Amino acid sequence: MDALDLLRSLFVYQAWANGELLQKLAGLDQQEHVDQRHTATRLINHNLVVSKIFAAHLSGTRHGYASDNTEDTPALDELSADVAAVDRWYLDYIEAVSPKLMSEPVPFTFTDGDRAMMSRQEMLTHVVTHGGYHRGEIGRILMQIGIAAPWDTFAVHLHHAEPSRRLQVRERVGA
């Protein structure tokens, strides 16, 4: 498996994990868990904004964000649609980008004005790890209010997507 195949697999996983988490949050009691739902929504929105910013860096377009979150908090259903669209954008990007471009350094400016440079592969890796970090934060919030977080791991996703991976391999006796 090369780096592009691995990134493709990680972005499929991320889309699945985002969907699982957003579905779980949609089921939260809106009256009982107002603060936790708001915090989780802000974290998802932050992750969405960062994903959009890096998509702009990757595509060489302007993102228009002055911060890594928006002032207003979007409704969860609107946010879910936007997250799914950005997840789709990344999957399409990975299908279209040439392997040669993956190691190409791309200069960009962070929202705080700091200038930086990362390869496309590094940017894509950042987007995936950044998403996992914030899904983990939200999972902790859910656990603190007694709600089981989605089982958000790459291994679970792989076995869910490809059940044949669950086959047990038995050691041969005497081999």
Side-chain angles (χ1 to χ4, degrees):
M1 174 181 285
D2 66 15
L4 197 52
D5 287 337
L6 179 58
L7 284 166
R8 183 179 298 108
S9 185
L10 288 170
F11 275 94
V12 169
Y13 154 67
Q14 177 160 279
W16 170 81
N18 285 340
E20 293 286 307
L21 181 60
L22 287 159
Q23 183 177 1
K24 177 70 82 165
L25 291 175
L28 274 182
D29 184 310
Q30 293 185 34
Q31 306 303 322
E32 185 178 354
H33 304 293
V34 175
D35 293 339
Q36 294 87 353
R37 185 180 165 127
H38 177 76
T39 299
T41 303
R42 293 295 298 162
L43 286 166
I44 293 169
N45 193 58
H46 159 72
N47 190 58
L48 174 67
V49 168
V50 169
S51 294
K52 286 181 174 183
I53 288 170
F54 274 88
H57 296 330
L58 287 163
S59 63
T61 60
R62 296 180 60 85
H63 54 73
Y65 290 100
S67 176
D68 63 3
N69 210 335
T70 59
E71 199 171 310
D72 296 328
T73 303
L76 194 58
D77 58 342
E78 176 188 338
L79 189 57
S80 294
D82 286 347
V83 167
V86 169
D87 285 341
R88 180 80 256 153
W89 184 92
Y90 276 100
L91 289 167
D92 292 344
Y93 179 83
I94 289 171
E95 290 304 317
V97 69
S98 73
K100 182 179 178 184
L101 286 178
M102 291 300 287
S103 60
E104 177 184 272
V106 178
F108 63 93
T109 305
F110 285 107
T111 57
D112 65 4
D114 282 351
R115 297 176 54 91
M117 189 177 311
M118 295 170 75
S119 72
R120 294 174 192 282
Q121 185 171 303
E122 290 168 335
M123 286 184 185
L124 291 165
T125 302
H126 170 71
V127 169
V128 168
T129 58
H130 182 256
Y133 177 84
H134 290 301
R135 283 192 308 275
E137 281 185 298
I138 296 166
R140 174 58 70 194
I141 291 168
L142 291 172
M143 290 173 52
Q144 288 173 341
I145 59 175
I147 296 173
W151 204 1
D152 174 6
T153 68
F154 187 52
V156 168
H157 163 71
L158 289 175
H159 291 106
H160 176 76
E162 298 176 43
S164 63
R165 288 177 178 254
R166 282 294 210 190
L167 296 175
Q168 299 290 320
V169 178
R170 293 187 179 152
E171 290 185 48
R172 291 182 9 201
V173 178

